[in-house]
Amino acid sequence: MSEGEITRTIEDYLKNVGRVLPSGFETEDMLEELRIHINEAVQDKIQKKPLANKIDLLREVLNDLGGPKEIAEEFKGTGVLVQEQEEDERRVFWLAMRFIINMVVVVAASWFVSNLPDAEISFYWALVVFLVFGLVEWFIRARQMREASRIDVEK
Amino acid sequence: MKKTPSFEDGWKVEIRRGILQYAVLAVVSRHKEDGIHGYGIARELKERTDGLLEVKEGTLYPILHRLRKERLLNVRTEKSDAGPVRKVYVLTGDGDRVYRELTVILDSIHEKLEVLR
């Protein structure tokens, strides 16, 4: 069996595990760890049994790892799955709240600015400017949060 | 027809899950200085317990994930023998405290069960 087929077998296994886990950064992270585990375990077995067929050794490694369902069961059993679903729901709720509050502030600020005495700014022009500011702030904050969670995971 | 697991099978699954989390902390605790990676933990668990815990190695990762979320383990990265960067687990201060507490509890449970036999 070629190296390409071995890689494909590993990728298929990881794809099947990925399918039964919730999608997200944490799952990607775990799949990467499983990939490293498989490669190290195969290398280890090759050193111990240099004459054995590589695909048989890979099968042994995948068997030792367990099936995708067993891994998903453990995820559920340790409560990680439930915890992450709750976190996702909370995240979506606060994202929606933030969006609504931002829109209210933008509309109120535009109305206020366009109604200032001697101000020659139209409501719609102010609305566009505030929306652009809001979008820029949103993207910067999202980037900062992604960076912070990446650093947190690496710690 | 789906076979219902026997009483002892269900009991084994429950007890294994709890013990496994403790066992992972115990293995990581043995590598306080340098830490240990996922495959190393799996190998050590298998060798040191003669496969008693019947661990499917893939199931260790959700446990490691949980222990990290509980801030009992920290992670740092290092280059693996197989090439890519891998995660190395070390106990946090809290992890060390929890491990010690669990050890005392387990010893006490063991002692009391001995009396019951």
Side-chain angles (χ1 to χ4, degrees), chain A residues 124-144:
Chain A
Y124 292 107
W125 180 235
L127 190 72
V128 170
V129 171
F130 282 126
L131 274 177
V132 170
F133 280 147
L135 272 175
V136 170
E137 190 263 344
W138 186 289
F139 281 118
I140 291 174
R141 194 174 283 237
R143 200 190 163 96
Q144 283 174 334

Side-chain angles (χ1 to χ4, degrees), chain A residues 44-74:
Chain A
D44 207 21
K45 282 188 187 283
I46 290 174
Q47 274 183 0
K48 283 176 188 158
K49 302 175 192 168
L51 299 175
N53 185 335
K54 266 190 186 177
I55 193 66
D56 290 339
L57 296 180
L58 176 60
R59 279 196 193 113
E60 273 179 35
V61 168
L62 297 184
N63 184 48
D64 287 346
L65 272 175
K69 276 187 184 163
E70 285 170 287
I71 296 174
E73 277 300 311
E74 194 62 50

Side-chain angles (χ1 to χ4, degrees), chain B residues 38-71:
Chain B
Y39 178 55
I41 296 173
R43 218 171 36 185
E44 211 160 296
L45 274 177
K46 200 173 188 176
E47 284 165 8
R48 291 193 169 273
T49 65
D50 287 328
L52 176 76
L53 293 171
E54 296 170 13
V55 180
K56 283 291 180 191
E57 294 172 4
T59 62
L60 283 178
Y61 291 94
I63 290 172
L64 287 168
H65 185 95
R66 169 81 195 266
L67 295 175
R68 254 171 67 193
K69 282 218 144 191
E70 297 287 342
R71 306 208 178 272

Side-chain angles (χ1 to χ4, degrees), chain B residues 10-20:
Chain B
W11 187 80
K12 260 164 75 179
V13 168
E14 290 302 316
I15 206 153
R16 191 193 60 89
R17 185 167 286 144
I19 294 286
L20 200 49

Side-chain angles (χ1 to χ4, degrees), chain B residues 82-99:
Chain B
V85 166
R86 70 184 172 192
K87 286 200 185 103
V88 172
Y89 294 90
V90 282
L91 275 189
T92 60
D94 254 2
D96 191 42
R97 178 186 57 77
V98 168
Y99 169 62

